[in-house]
Amino acid sequence: AQKITQTQPGMFVQEKEAVTLDCTYDTSDQSYGLFWYKQPSSGEMIFLIYQGSYDEQNATEGRYSLNFQKARKSANLVISASQLGDSAMYFCAMREGRRTGANNLFFGTGTRLTVIP
Amino acid sequence: ETGVTQSPTHLIKTRGQQVTLRCSSQSGHNTVSWYQQALGQGPQFIFQYYREEENGRGNFPPRFSGLQFPNYSSELNVNALELDDSALYLCASSPDTLSRGGNTIYFGEGSWLTVV
């Protein structure tokens, strides 16, 4: 079974509108972390936001927020007030466990977001 | 700027050759991991190094090997290159404990490898 599932290969959003990118995960660990990264065409993986499994509040970072629904095992990324520069690939990723030094991330297949002027 | 730098940015190799990719981790980060990202896919974990020792490996053959140095920089070596090794290779670094921001995993800009 896939550990991270992103069901939207591509998404379009009008500039200044909000968009939600879906992510579901599969793990039997009680402790895990969820990440979202943005990857422009240059290839660099840009860290956007992090949610720990024990965090009670949804994470927010500027225009990015993570809609964390633990019982449904979903961690959707919400981008508010979309900008043209938001056009890129977006990856959801998970790290299992709390082992020291562990940064083995499982990535989804990504969602290509296109912001329309 | 993530503080993680990789070199070279692009390179072309011939099938059967060997390649070494380099990564300088962010200051204070002693955990480095490497990922392979084939075209149109998400990154796949190759292995990671913690305090100069390999302490985790993904589903990659032994011809993928690595090193971590005392300054926590790292190398990825791939022997006997195959056409399917053509990919973007990403290096990521993080602090060693969650209490010190271990949720922060930063990536470099990657090395684009083409095998012909």
Side-chain angles (χ1 to χ4, degrees):
Chain A
Q2 293 291 325
K3 288 189 178 288
I4 295 288
T5 302
Q6 295 181 253
T7 58
Q8 306 156 312
M11 289 284 286
F12 292 87
V13 63
Q14 204 74 36
E15 193 177 6
K16 300 180 184 178
E17 296 293 314
V19 63
T20 298
L21 305 184
D22 295 342
C23 172
T24 58
Y25 60 91
D26 182 28
T27 182
S28 57
D29 283 5
Q30 295 300 309
S31 176
Y32 52 88
L34 297 158
F35 300 74
W36 276 92
Y37 287 88
K38 171 184 177 182
Q39 188 177 44
S41 57
S42 61
E44 182 181 7
M45 199 70 75
I46 301 168
F47 169 76
L48 295 178
I49 197 166
Y50 169 83
Q51 180 86 41
S53 58
Y54 293 117
D55 295 340
E56 295 185 350
Q57 292 192 336
N58 287 340
T60 60
E61 291 284 350
R63 295 187 297 112
Y64 304 108
S65 60
L66 199 151
N67 184 1
F68 181 46
Q69 299 186 43
K70 196 170 183 177
R72 297 180 60 185
K73 293 189 174 180
S74 76
N76 298 339
L77 176 71
V78 180
I79 305 175
S80 62
S82 296
Q83 302 172 356
L84 295 179
D86 293 336
S87 294
M89 282 292 287
Y90 288 80
F91 289 95
C92 178
M94 176 176 66
R95 178 181 61 195
E96 294 177 308
R98 295 179 64 86
R99 182 165 60 89
T100 296
N103 62 8
N104 173 10
L105 296 177
F106 296 94
F107 282 84
T109 52
T111 296
R112 179 168 297 281
L113 177 67
T114 302
V115 180
I116 304 168
Chain B
E1 284 293 325
T2 66
V4 181
T5 58
Q6 293 186 241
S7 63
T9 53
H10 294 81
L11 70 166
I12 300 173
K13 290 286 190 178
T14 302
R15 187 171 51 184
Q17 284 187 317
Q18 180 264 347
V19 68
T20 297
L21 307 178
R22 295 177 176 82
C23 172
S24 175
S25 61
Q26 187 179 102
S27 177
H29 286 191
N30 58 15
T31 301
V32 175
S33 56
W34 287 90
Y35 292 80
Q36 180 195 66
Q37 186 178 16
L39 198 61
Q41 298 182 20
Q44 299 289 318
F45 174 71
I46 302 175
F47 48 58
Q48 71 177 18
Y49 280 82
Y50 173 61
R51 296 183 177 177
E52 301 179 55
E53 291 192 1
E54 183 181 305
N55 77 335
R57 190 176 185 93
N59 188 27
F60 281 82
R63 58 190 185 84
F64 286 79
S65 63
L67 283 173
Q68 187 179 31
F69 301 99
N71 66 355
Y72 303 134
S73 64
S74 177
E75 287 183 355
L76 164 65
N77 299 291
V78 187
N79 294 320
L81 283 167
E82 302 176 359
L83 297 179
D84 285 348
D85 295 333
S86 295
L88 175 66
Y89 288 85
L90 293 161
C91 169
S93 77
S94 71
D96 63 349
T97 63
L98 295 172
S99 63
R100 278 194 275 160
N103 57 301
T104 307
I105 300 176
Y106 290 121
F107 284 80
E109 295 189 1
S111 294
W112 294 89
L113 171 65
T114 301
V115 182
V116 297

